[in-house]
Amino acid sequence: MPDLRPWRAGNQLPGVWSFPGPAPGPHVALACLVHGNEIAGALLLARWLREGLRPLRGTLTFIFANLAAFDRFDPADPTLSRFVDEDMNRVWDERVLHGSRQSEEIARARMLRPLLDEVDVLLDLHSMLWPSDPLIITGSAPQARALGPKLGTPSLAVADQGHSTGRRMIDSAAFTAPGSRRTALLVEGGAHWEPATLETLEACATALLREYGLLPPAPRSTPTGRLAEVTRTVVAGTHGFAFVQDFRGGTIIPRRNTLLALDGEQEIRTPHDDCLLVMPSPRTLRGHTAVRLARFV
């Protein structure tokens, strides 16, 4: 468990630390704990704060997003601390942020939203409950689609249209407004609470900081990753949604029309050859995303 007591106050906002470099450059932010039980990103940022990491140029900001959810973390039942009232990664629509709806997560998002207007590049650090290969999610913004594969770690980047249940932080208007040159990515580093996940998140965040000159360049180049584009987002229409086998995220189904799942009486089949399964969720509530289907670009 990360000890966040030394870092809760922040120097910009509660849980937010920002450090200028000695030379001009972009403002890069690393966010963690958007989901309070996804502690790998918090372990990384807390360690970098202890080590006194500072940028060579520009500004580096660390965001511990949902501290209220993290405070509920119980190793005996860690999934309960994902959020307090609602998923913080579904509240970033401007109508929600400027509306009358109230929750712990919306209040925190409203506090952080002006900060995002100052950020040029955001990397949101996450981990996963169900078995899946690590991946970068770019959303649909062209600048993010270009950046994701360029980092090369993880080697898979996926462009999608977000979720029907609400906008993620990377989909907020701060990064997706027409004509915006600012960029946001989300990295899913691997399984919750696994050491390899922390290593993946550190490699991805380091690659991003090197890409923008906040850290020295890498001694050797990393191969460019692959980009896949979501062709269908499968949302469970019934409480009886079930996959026909235990699929792992990152699996490629070679043939079109292969049966993947049953949603009540409806069959869910691959829409094309070489269909990539993006983060299938074997326990999906009605109205929630069960899997995204993608093809390589």
Side-chain angles (χ1 to χ4, degrees):
M1 279 287 291
D3 181 5
L4 300 186
R5 288 174 296 179
W7 316 117
R8 298 184 74 94
N11 66 358
Q12 295 293 314
L13 295 167
V16 178
W17 291 84
S18 193
F19 305 101
H27 185 172
V28 178
L30 305 176
C32 69
L33 293 181
V34 166
H35 297 132
N37 63 330
E38 298 180 16
I39 62 174
L43 286 166
L44 174 62
L45 299 192
R47 172 158 57 81
W48 278 354
L49 283 165
R50 287 196 309 272
E51 294 170 351
L53 181 69
R54 298 294 184 268
L56 297 177
R57 63 192 289 258
T59 300
L60 176 60
T61 294
F62 297 145
I63 303 170
F64 297 94
N66 197 343
L67 288 168
F70 170 76
D71 288 342
R72 297 156 55 104
F73 189 87
D74 179 0
D77 198 351
T79 58
L80 289 180
S81 59
R82 180 175 171 87
F83 54 80
V84 177
D85 296 318
E86 59 180 313
D87 189 334
M88 191 177 180
N89 223 21
R90 300 292 184 271
V91 302
W92 294 90
D93 188 289
E94 292 296 291
R95 291 171 296 180
V96 173
L97 296 180
H98 295 289
S100 59
R101 210 170 93 203
Q102 302 293 325
S103 72
E104 184 74 40
E105 281 72 23
I106 292 174
R108 180 61 167 165
R110 287 171 179 152
M111 182 184 297
L112 295 174
R113 177 65 178 83
L115 170 72
L116 297 186
D117 283 330
E118 302 173 4
V119 170
D120 297 303
V121 185
L122 170 74
L123 180 64
D124 189 11
L125 306 172
H126 285 256
S127 56
M128 296 177 278
L129 178 60
W130 304 111
S132 177
D133 297 341
L135 71 157
I136 292 171
I137 296 178
T138 72
S140 58
Q143 62 272 27
R145 289 169 57 113
L147 176 61
K150 193 174 183 181
L151 297 182
T153 178
S155 59
L156 172 64
V158 174
D160 70 357
Q161 300 297 321
H163 294 275
S164 61
T165 48
R167 294 174 74 88
R168 302 167 298 203
M169 184 187 292
I170 66 167
D171 303 319
S172 68
F175 305 105
T176 58
S180 174
R181 301 182 67 178
R182 295 186 291 137
T183 308
L185 300 174
L186 184 156
V187 56
E188 298 279 6
H192 296 332
W193 322 305
E194 294 292 330
T197 300
L198 174 55
E199 294 172 8
T200 299
L201 294 181
E202 181 170 9
C204 184
T206 300
L208 182 80
L209 297 180
R210 286 172 168 164
E211 174 67 24
Y212 286 93
L214 277 70
L215 291 181
R220 61 185 64 86
S221 61
T222 301
T224 300
R226 302 182 73 186
L227 178 67
E229 186 170 27
V230 170
T231 56
R232 180 183 177 189
T233 298
V234 178
V235 176
T238 70
H239 293 297
F241 187 100
F243 288 98
V244 297
Q245 66 183 75
D246 293 331
F247 289 113
R248 177 185 177 87
T251 297
I252 299 172
I253 307 298
R255 300 298 180 194
R256 177 183 178 274
N257 208 37
T258 299
L259 181 64
L260 298 176
L262 296 174
D263 191 4
E265 297 183 356
Q266 181 183 5
E267 294 183 345
I268 307 299
R269 295 180 175 270
T270 52
H272 45 77
D273 292 346
D274 297 325
C275 184
L276 174 71
L277 306 188
V278 179
M279 298 176 63
S281 176
R283 297 178 188 172
T284 305
L285 298 175
R286 180 182 178 183
H288 289 257
T289 299
V291 65
R292 283 161 280 182
L293 310 178
R295 60 157 45 107
F296 287 101
V297 177

